[in-house]
Amino acid sequence: MTDEELALSYVDGNNRAFDLLLSRNQSKLYSYILFVVRDNDMADDVFQETFVKVITKLQQGKYTTSGKFGAWIMRIAHNVIMDWYREQKADKIVEPTEGNDLSNISDRELYESNIENQYVNNQVMRDVRRLMEKLPAPQREVVFMRFYQQMSFKEIAETTCVSINTALGRMRYALLNLRRMAKEYDVTLQLAV
């Protein structure tokens, strides 16, 4: 049976169908959640809350087989993550960790020049990271994935469960906001050559 058929079977009362759905989708879903939140405990909580919402929505008849079940649960997980961040009033969609700390990004690969240029370029990169922190969470997420993780817009769209046009739109608004903030704070965003 496909995931879609299993979902409908569960709605009809087959609890074993849900066990199969869970076993088929848990690894991919958990990996996605962990990728976004970068914290094992939080990922566990979000994963659990996501499946509670999946069960609730299935029982309420809010699932239709018009799309892939996997994409449907990824969208639910994405919404749970966004809700959690809103509740916490956190301003970060991707939490820096030891291996993912924005301050550890190597600026030196971007330029090769004298010490004055190096100082200017270090300051520009610090300013960019500081301005990025002021972006709305969805925009910051797209900028981080695109520029710091070299993900394609297709990969970004799939990971965040939005269309490619939405991912592109978020990037466009992020760049406009970065330019506006740079002007507002009188920050130069051009690297010295």
Side-chain angles (χ1 to χ4, degrees):
M1 293 177 80
T2 66
D3 285 352
E4 294 74 24
E5 292 168 334
L6 286 171
L8 294 177
S9 180
Y10 171 70
V11 169
D12 289 337
N14 180 357
N15 289 334
R16 176 77 180 117
F18 186 79
D19 294 340
L20 285 169
L21 278 173
L22 178 61
S23 67
R24 284 185 186 178
N25 291 283
Q26 67 185 6
S27 178
K28 181 178 178 184
L29 182 66
Y30 186 83
S31 296
Y32 163 70
I33 292 168
L34 186 59
F35 169 78
V36 175
V37 301
R38 299 284 185 197
D39 178 85
N40 287 325
D41 292 334
M42 185 179 161
D44 291 341
D45 292 345
V46 169
F47 179 80
Q48 191 171 24
E49 186 174 341
T50 297
F51 266 97
V52 167
K53 287 194 183 235
V54 166
I55 291 168
T56 303
K57 289 181 183 294
L58 285 171
Q59 290 173 346
Q60 293 172 345
K62 292 186 177 179
Y63 174 71
T64 60
T65 57
S66 60
K68 292 273 188 191
F69 180 80
W72 184 69
I73 62 171
M74 291 288 252
R75 183 170 305 279
I76 292 171
H78 181 75
N79 291 340
V80 169
I81 292 166
M82 296 308 289
D83 289 346
W84 188 88
Y85 278 111
R86 281 186 205 110
E87 288 172 13
Q88 299 299 313
K89 295 183 181 173
D91 61 347
K92 295 178 180 159
I93 199 69
V94 179
E95 292 284 343
T97 61
E98 273 186 47
N100 190 21
D101 184 358
L102 294 180
S103 65
N104 292 335
I105 295 171
S106 174
D107 311 336
R108 297 174 200 264
E109 298 168 7
L110 299 175
Y111 59 88
E112 189 175 0
S113 194
N114 63 34
I115 192 71
E116 182 181 342
N117 286 353
Q118 185 176 349
Y119 174 78
V120 169
N121 291 335
N122 283 335
Q123 183 61 48
V124 168
M125 294 307 290
R126 278 193 301 276
D127 290 342
V128 167
R129 286 190 294 269
R130 194 180 80 239
L131 292 177
M132 267 182 62
E133 293 301 318
K134 296 179 184 293
L135 288 173
Q139 293 174 22
R140 185 174 48 251
E141 180 179 37
V142 171
V143 170
F144 183 81
M145 289 177 175
R146 180 73 177 137
F147 291 111
Y148 293 104
Q149 294 183 328
Q150 287 78 42
M151 293 174 69
S152 70
F153 282 106
K154 182 179 179 187
E155 292 169 323
I156 293 169
E158 289 171 358
T159 301
T160 58
C161 299
V162 298
S163 70
I164 290 178
N165 285 340
T166 299
L168 288 167
R170 287 177 179 173
M171 177 60 77
R172 178 178 176 271
Y173 285 119
L175 294 176
L176 290 172
N177 282 333
L178 286 170
R179 287 185 189 123
R180 178 189 51 76
M181 287 187 291
K183 189 174 184 179
E184 181 181 323
Y185 295 113
D186 197 28
V187 172
T188 302
L189 297 179
Q190 185 169 348
L191 294 173
V193 184

